Amino acid sequence: MKKSIMLFILTCIMMFFTGCVAEVQSNFYNSIADREYVNRDFPSALSHYKDAAEKGNGYAYYNLYVMYNYGQGVKRDVAMATVMLKKAVELEDPTAQVVMANRLLSGKDKDVPQALSLLKRAAQKENAYAYSDLSLLYRYGYGVKKDIALADEYQRLAQANGSKITLSTQRTTEVQTQLQTSSNGMSKKELVRSIQEGLKKLGFYTGKVDGSSGPMSLKAIKMFQKFYGYPENTTLSESLLREIQSKLK
């Protein structure tokens, strides 16, 4: 009996240290891959993210999703990208959870309850984008009961954790006012439609191109700005449209 207990304890200790070693190794590979990615050495970054993913690292799987989805260092493979994303979600990577939640909110087979669950799990890890998305959903009452107070609280948490996006009730009103007409006479609907079309071609927007701005359009804008390094700003403007069009050339 005592031998069995000792064997069990030793097994647990070995598993613990094995897990620690795997985590250290994956973090090492990720740090190298991140540096190579910033330097646009995509093939090397891809290789090191794969090394980290083999250790069961969700962050690495998420970055592999990005690289396969946009064809960075590898031939674009949307199917493989989806596999990488699902694996990252399984491993509780918060950014992957946010991306998957938005797929569930904007795809043909919407699943709002599952999307909310993913966003709230990501928010538990203090993910700014999860907070920001929850703010959008509650502000517009998209799949949930509209709750401005809760939306403002989620936005406060988003800003406290690094998000620079302002979506207070006052700011939302300002944006709507700015969108009524543009300097060249383009109507709000025409401007929004053009932005949606551009974001759809770039792969950031999966919703309907209808000229109606909502949570999915604003999320697509955030993803576009984050991906290309633009300052985060949800104002739907001609300058935003020009930035999008410049990436389509």
Side-chain angles (χ1 to χ4, degrees):
M1 185 67 178
K2 289 182 178 180
K3 289 184 177 179
S4 297
I5 295 174
M6 287 298 296
L7 182 61
F8 174 75
I9 293 173
L10 287 172
T11 301
C12 290
I13 292 173
M14 290 178 64
M15 290 177 65
F16 172 77
F17 280 107
T18 298
C20 289
V21 171
E23 184 177 357
V24 170
Q25 289 178 326
S26 62
N27 289 338
F28 173 71
Y29 291 134
N30 279 330
S31 64
I32 296 174
D34 286 345
R35 184 169 62 251
E36 292 169 335
Y37 186 90
V38 170
N39 293 328
R40 304 189 70 80
D41 185 355
F42 295 138
S44 294
L46 185 79
S47 177
H48 282 104
Y49 281 135
K50 285 182 176 179
D51 289 336
E54 288 178 359
K55 304 295 180 181
N57 186 274
Y59 173 82
Y61 273 109
Y62 171 74
N63 282 285
L64 288 173
Y65 150 73
V66 171
M67 299 189 79
Y68 276 105
N69 195 49
Y70 295 105
Q72 297 174 323
V74 66
K75 184 178 179 181
R76 188 167 187 250
D77 188 333
V78 176
M80 179 59 73
T82 299
V83 171
M84 296 294 104
L85 179 63
K86 288 181 178 179
K87 188 65 178 178
V89 170
E90 289 175 11
L91 292 168
E92 296 293 321
D93 179 77
T95 308
Q97 289 171 330
V98 171
V99 173
M100 182 62 78
N102 279 274
R103 284 193 174 192
L104 293 172
L105 289 169
S106 61
K108 293 182 180 179
D109 301 319
K110 291 184 174 62
D111 190 339
V112 177
Q114 178 62 16
L116 278 171
S117 175
L118 288 171
L119 289 174
K120 288 180 178 179
R121 279 156 57 188
Q124 288 175 352
K125 302 179 184 71
E126 300 183 340
N127 183 277
Y129 286 97
Y131 285 135
S132 187
D133 284 352
L134 287 168
S135 175
L136 287 170
L137 294 180
Y138 281 100
R139 189 172 306 285
Y140 289 95
Y142 188 87
V144 295
K145 185 177 180 180
K146 190 174 181 179
D147 189 332
I148 298 299
L150 184 56
D152 284 342
E153 174 60 16
Y154 275 127
Q155 190 54 35
R156 183 190 68 77
L157 290 168
Q159 291 174 319
N161 285 277
S163 175
K164 298 178 181 178
I165 299 172
T166 302
L167 281 173
S168 64
T169 304
Q170 180 181 357
R171 178 56 177 161
T172 302
T173 302
E174 290 173 359
V175 172
Q176 290 173 340
T177 301
Q178 291 171 4
L179 282 171
Q180 295 305 313
T181 56
S182 61
S183 60
N184 66 1
M186 181 182 287
S187 70
K188 168 186 174 181
K189 197 173 188 67
E190 291 171 336
L191 178 62
V192 174
R193 183 185 293 276
S194 297
I195 289 173
Q196 288 173 332
E197 287 177 345
L199 291 172
K200 198 174 189 72
K201 290 177 182 178
L202 290 170
F204 295 102
Y205 181 64
T206 57
K208 185 177 180 181
V209 177
D210 56 6
S212 178
S213 176
M216 297 304 100
S217 296
L218 297 179
K219 173 59 181 176
I221 291 170
K222 288 193 297 180
M223 292 178 67
F224 164 78
Q225 291 170 333
K226 182 175 184 292
F227 185 78
Y228 285 107
Y230 290 114
E232 294 179 26
N233 187 333
T234 55
T235 301
L236 299 170
S237 62
E238 286 184 55
S239 61
L240 171 62
L241 179 58
R242 287 194 293 271
E243 289 171 352
I244 293 170
Q245 292 174 335
S246 70
K247 302 304 178 185
L248 292 169
K249 295 178 180 179

